[in-house]
Amino acid sequence: MKILAIRGKNLASLAGEFDIPFTEEPLASAGLFAISGPTGAGKSTLLDALCLALYDDTPRMLRAGSTGTKLPDVAGETVTPHDTRTLLRRGAAEGYAEVDFVGNDSCAYRARWSVRRSRSRMDGKLQSLEMTLKRLPDLQPIGGTNTEVKAEIAQRVGLNFEQFTRSVLLAQNEFSAFLKADDNERGEVLETLTGTVIYSAISKRAYERAKVEQATLARLNDRLADQKPLSQEERAALDMESIQANQVLTGIELQKYALDEALRWHQESERMTLGVQAAEIELENLQAGLLAAEPRRKEFERIEAVQDSRAMLADCERIAADIAQSQLAIGKGETDHNQATQALQAVEEAQALASKTLQDAEQRRAAAAPDLDQAKALDTRLETLVPLQRQVGLKNEAALTAERHARLALEANEQHSSLAQEELQKISDWLVQQAHLETLADNWPRWDTLLNQATQLDVDKGRLSCDLAIAQQHEAHFGGSEATANASL
């Protein structure tokens, strides 16, 4: 077994979570190291976490009081001194101990012991503890209940709790317990640690085998004791009978050897006779086959005789194929030649036509040279007149805009003037009709104001008429300029 890491949370004097990885630096290459610190720092708590995760027990529980003693817990609850849940730190709602180790099967495992209070509150009742065992790195669970998990852990560690605490983990002042143990118990622990259990099994089986062999030897000795030895005369007579029997046996063996030789000769003769008969039958079959194959043999001889001409025949066939391909190529070449001749004639005709067309074009170009020069001059003049045309166009647009505004203003003035005239006529008619109402003369300033407004409207009408005439003159001027520009363009 090899410890890989020890982790825990809220155990005894260690508050919060802690993690001690033995496979990481600086512990990985430290070799031997010591866990030191003042009293109450948590040295023994680390060992408690190791034992809790593996066995749900700790050495300090062995030194606890009698089982009848009760320890007070929160909310009036009590627990026994041997209850491992008492290692949960005061004021903590949950805690756990976890150990990663390599078992005796060279596989890595993670054993976990955990406990919590109800509703995860500090004043809650202690709940049943839970133990789990998982294979690393896939975290496959092993075992179901706590009892099954403990059995699986003990099987993979190879030690029970008593052996573990007397050999691997010796609590404070308990090293002498291992030394004072009897030979059988100490030998059992050492055999488990060193892996020499197999030698004990071999020793037991050897001892059992020795007992069986001794019992067999005793039975044989007892049987020999029941048989008394013969006298000298009886032994001599038996020796003489043995010699005579051996001589008779030798003669019989010689006779048997001669008979065996004769038997082998007859068997060999019979085998050879059968072989001759089989060979004769085989010879007849071969001769019949040879006669049946005579036509094929003659055919093969004829074929073999013409094998030398096979290359010539292949050459003839190849030459005939080449001749056929050459004839096809010649026919195709003649067709291509005819097509090329026709194409050449068509090209020559097209060339003659193109030459004639080119000459006509040259003549037309020479005849049109003065027109082209005049066109170039016109193009040059047109390029110079384009900016002037643009300016005339802009002025024309401005004149049109001014004309539209003048027309709109004139129409508005004419409407005002017409309305004023109508109003003035109405007033005049009304004054004629109401001449007898001279009492209204007191309101004459009002009518005077209206007459002044009508006079002003008449003046405005005359001014607008002048503006209209000026605009029409501008329009006529710009119209003539535009006509000139268009003609030039």
Side-chain angles (χ1 to χ4, degrees), residues 213-227:
E213 296 297 334
Q214 288 177 358
T216 304
L217 179 62
R219 287 195 302 272
L220 293 175
N221 290 330
D222 292 340
R223 291 178 61 185
L224 290 174
D226 294 338
Q227 297 179 359

Side-chain angles (χ1 to χ4, degrees), residues 344-388:
L344 178 61
Q345 293 177 357
V347 169
E348 290 177 352
E349 293 176 357
Q351 183 179 6
L353 181 60
S355 298
K356 184 178 180 181
T357 304
L358 179 61
Q359 292 176 0
D360 295 339
E362 289 291 340
Q363 293 175 0
R364 288 195 299 270
R365 184 179 67 80
D371 295 336
L372 291 174
D373 295 338
Q374 185 179 1
K376 291 179 181 179
L378 290 175
D379 289 338
T380 303
R381 185 178 178 186
L382 180 61
E383 290 178 358
T384 56
L385 292 176
V386 167
L388 179 60

Side-chain angles (χ1 to χ4, degrees), residues 31 46 48 51 67 75 92 117 261 279 299 307 315 329 340 367-368 375 418 423 427 430 440 458 460 482 484:
L46 296 178
D48 291 338
C51 294
T67 56
R117 295 186 179 275
E261 287 293 329
E299 181 67 19
Q307 287 299 318
D315 292 337
S418 176
E423 186 67 24
I427 292 172
W430 185 82
L440 299 177
D458 192 26
D460 292 338
E482 182 181 3
T484 302

Side-chain angles (χ1 to χ4, degrees), residues 115-141:
V115 65
R116 65 180 183 86
R117 295 186 179 275
S118 62
R119 300 185 300 276
S120 298
R121 296 178 57 181
M122 295 183 296
D123 56 351
K125 183 180 178 180
L126 282 173
Q127 303 297 305
S128 300
L129 61 90
E130 182 181 0
M131 294 188 69
T132 58
L133 177 64
K134 297 181 180 179
R135 182 181 288 108
L136 297 178
D138 55 358
L139 298 178
Q140 180 181 357

